[in-house]
C-alpha cells in the first residue's frame, strides 16, 4: 500500500477504524473474529489503527492493546479522549484533569507507554478549546502522546487550537454523502499542514450498497446507532436508496465494488486525506484495502459527485440532539 502523511508519521493510505469491533452497530463480533480482523489488517500493511476511550466504554482500547501490543513498533496508534462512558452513559468532558486521567487509563488498556496520535474526540463547549488542547500539549511534553488531533470541529476551532499547539490531524465524517468538510475544513487543513482523517468513508455501509430496502434497516440491532440517524429513516431512506442503482453502475464502470469506489473517491480528493473504514469481517477488510490501488478518471469522479452530494442525499447525518454536540460546518 502506498503511504501518506499523518502528522509526523508516514502510514498506509487506508487505515482501520476499530470502533465496529466493539461499539455502535449492535452486538460486536466475537473476540476471535475481532482479533482475526486486526491481525489480518496488520498482515496486509495497515499501519494506522484508530480507537477511542468511548468505543465499548474502554473495551475497544483493551482489545487493540491485547491483540496488537506485541507488534507496537509496526504501526501508528491513534486514540481519543474527551468523550467517554460514565456510569453506562456517554459523557462529553473536555476539562484538562479529565483528559489527563483518560490518557492514563488508555495507556494501561493499550499496553503502551505512548499514544502516537491522541484526539479530542469532541470539543466540550463548556471548556475553551484552548484549555483542552493545552492539557494535551502537557501530555506531549510528558512523553505520553506524540501528536494532537481534533475530531468534528470547524475550521475556526481548528485554527484556535492550532495556535496553542500544532494540530497533526482533524478527524471528521467525510464521504460522497457527507460533504460538510468541503465547506472549510479541508481547505483549512491544507493551509495549516494538518492531515484530514475521514471516518465513516463508506457512509456507514450505505455506499457499500449493503442495504437494499427499508426491511434491512428494520433488521438493525436495537442498539445500532443508525436507527437514530435521519438518512436511514422513513422517506429519507427510501429516497436515498434510489441513488444506488446509478452508483453501482458507476462502480462497475470503474471496475470495482461500490465500497471501493467510495474509498478511491476519497483518496482522489487530496493527498492529505486518509480514510479509516471499519469492518467486522476479514473479507470486507481485504476489499476495502484493495481500493488503494484504484485510480478513477476525472470524468467518473465528476459523474459520481453529481449523483451523490449534499443536494441529492435526503436527511441530515445526525438527529437534532447529536448535532448540538459537534462543531462542524453545516450546509
Amino acid at each position: 500500500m502506498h503511504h501518506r502523511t499523518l502528522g509526523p508519521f508516514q502510514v498506509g493510505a487506508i487505515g482501520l477504524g476499530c470502533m465496529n469491533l466493539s461499539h455502535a452497530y449492535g452486538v460486536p463480533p466475537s473476540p476471535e473474529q475481532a482479533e482475526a480482523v486486526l491481525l489480518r489488517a496488520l498482515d496486509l500493511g495497515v499501519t494506522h489503527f484508530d480507537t477511542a476511550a468511548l468505543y465499548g466504554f474502554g473495551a475497544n482500547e483493551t482489545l487493540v492493546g491485547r491483540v496488537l501490543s506485541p507488534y507496537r513498533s509496526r504501526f501508528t496508534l491513534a486514540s481519543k479522549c474527551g468523550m467517554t462512558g460514565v456510569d453506562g452513559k456517554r459523557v462529553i468532558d473536555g476539562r484538562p484533569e479529565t483528559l489527563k486521567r483518560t490518557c492514563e487509563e488508555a495507556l494501561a488498556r493499550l499496553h503502551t507507554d505512548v499514544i502516537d496520535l491522541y484526539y479530542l474526540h469532541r470539543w466540550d463547549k463548556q471548556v475553551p478549546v484552548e484549555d483542552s488542547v493545552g492539557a494535551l500539549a502537557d501530555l506531549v511534553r510528558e512523553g505520553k502522546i506524540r501528536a494532537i488531533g481534533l475530531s468534528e470541529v470547524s475550521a475556526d476551532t481548528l485554527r484556535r487550537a492550532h495556535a496553542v499547539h500544532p494540530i497533526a490531524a482533524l478527524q471528521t465524517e467525510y464521504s460522497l454523502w457527507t460533504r460538510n468538510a468541503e465547506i472549510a475544513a479541508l481547505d483549512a487543513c491544507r493551509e495549516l499542514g494538518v492531515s484530514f482523517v475521514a471516518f465513516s468513508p463508506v457512509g456507514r455501509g450505505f455506499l457499500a450498497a449493503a442495504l437494499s430496502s427499508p426491511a434491512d434497516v428494520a433488521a438493525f440491532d436495537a442498539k445500532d446507532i443508525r436507527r437514530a440517524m435521519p438518512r436511514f429513516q422513513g422517506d429519507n431512506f427510501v429516497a436515498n436508496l434510489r441513488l444506488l442503482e446509478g452508483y453501482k453502475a458507476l462502480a462497475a464502470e470503474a471496475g470495482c465494488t461500490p465500497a471501493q469506489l467510495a474509498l478511491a473517491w476519497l483518496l482522489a480528493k487530496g493527498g492529505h486525506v486518509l480514510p479509516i473504514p471499519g469492518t467486522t469481517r476479514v473479507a470486507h477488510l481485504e476489499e476495502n484495502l484493495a481500493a488503494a490501488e484504484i485510480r478513477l478518471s476525472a470524468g467518473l469522479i465528476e459523474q459520481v459527485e453529481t449523483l451523490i452530494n449534499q443536494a441529492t442525499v435526503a436527511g441530515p447525518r445526525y438527529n437534532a440532539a447529536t448535532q448540538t454536540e459537534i462543531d462542524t460546518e453545516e450546509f
Side-chain angles (χ1 to χ4, degrees):
M1 190 189 304
H2 65 278
H3 285 71
R4 292 193 170 189
T5 298
L6 176 63
F9 314 105
Q10 292 294 308
V11 300
I14 298 177
L16 181 67
C18 299
M19 179 182 76
N20 305 41
L21 299 175
S22 309
H23 188 83
Y25 296 110
V27 179
S30 68
E32 295 77 15
Q33 184 177 340
E35 180 173 345
V37 170
L38 291 171
L39 292 178
R40 182 59 175 152
L42 198 66
D43 288 344
L44 290 172
V46 172
T47 54
H48 174 200
F49 291 84
D50 182 278
T51 181
L54 176 72
Y55 303 158
F57 291 5
N60 197 246
E61 287 181 328
T62 298
L63 168 70
V64 170
R66 176 178 64 81
V67 176
L68 294 182
S69 60
Y71 315 99
R72 183 66 184 85
S73 63
R74 291 173 53 184
F75 63 90
T76 296
L77 175 63
S79 194
K80 310 179 194 73
C81 60
M83 186 161 62
T84 57
V86 178
D87 297 329
K89 295 182 180 180
R90 180 173 59 85
V91 173
I92 296 174
D93 184 348
R95 292 175 295 172
E97 60 270 25
T98 301
L99 304 185
K100 293 180 178 182
R101 183 180 68 249
T102 304
C103 181
E104 296 291 347
E105 294 166 351
L107 289 168
R109 287 191 290 259
L110 290 163
H111 300 300
T112 188
D113 295 327
V114 62
I115 297 168
D116 297 313
L117 175 58
Y118 205 43
Y119 292 91
L120 183 65
H121 204 162
R122 291 291 185 274
W123 172 34
D124 178 354
K125 298 175 184 177
Q126 304 304 309
V127 178
V129 72
E130 292 85 353
D131 291 357
S132 296
V133 172
L136 298 181
D138 289 343
L139 293 173
V140 172
R141 286 187 285 270
E142 293 166 13
K144 294 176 179 177
I145 68 175
R146 291 194 170 103
I148 297 173
L150 300 176
S151 177
E152 293 277 50
V153 300
S154 66
D156 286 345
T157 302
L158 171 62
R159 289 190 174 92
R160 285 172 54 192
H162 195 72
V164 174
H165 187 280
I167 301 300
L170 171 62
Q171 182 172 145
T172 290
E173 183 174 357
Y174 185 36
S175 69
L176 277 163
W177 85 336
T178 299
R179 308 283 280 278
N180 308 67
E182 295 175 0
I183 300 172
L186 281 173
D187 286 343
C189 284
R190 191 179 291 109
E191 170 196 330
L192 297 172
V194 175
S195 301
F196 186 96
V197 176
F199 77 78
S200 295
V202 190
R204 304 184 188 276
F206 182 82
L207 296 172
L211 306 169
S212 60
S213 75
D216 294 328
V217 174
F220 284 166
D221 184 89
K223 294 185 178 180
D224 192 313
I225 61 173
R226 292 174 292 183
R227 284 187 171 275
M229 293 180 171
R231 291 180 182 175
F232 291 94
Q233 297 174 342
D235 291 343
N236 286 340
F237 186 64
V238 172
N240 291 331
L241 282 176
R242 298 189 188 109
L243 301 171
L244 286 181
E245 183 176 353
Y247 179 67
K248 289 189 287 187
L250 288 172
E253 182 180 334
C256 64
T257 67
Q260 289 171 338
L261 176 57
L263 292 166
W265 175 82
L266 271 171
L267 291 172
K269 296 307 289 183
H272 65 313
V273 177
L274 299 94
I276 50 167
T279 184
T280 60
R281 301 181 187 180
V282 168
H284 288 170
L285 169 73
E286 295 171 346
E287 175 188 348
N288 290 342
L289 297 180
E293 305 306 318
I294 295 168
R295 302 293 179 267
L296 304 176
S297 69
L300 195 140
I301 289 173
E302 182 179 0
Q303 285 181 277
V304 74
E305 289 182 347
T306 299
L307 177 67
I308 301 180
N309 58 62
Q310 69 275 10
T312 63
V313 172
R317 64 184 178 120
Y318 288 137
N319 61 32
T322 303
Q323 188 62 43
T324 64
E325 300 175 348
I326 63 172
D327 179 52
T328 54
E329 292 87 358
E330 301 298 319
F331 286 105

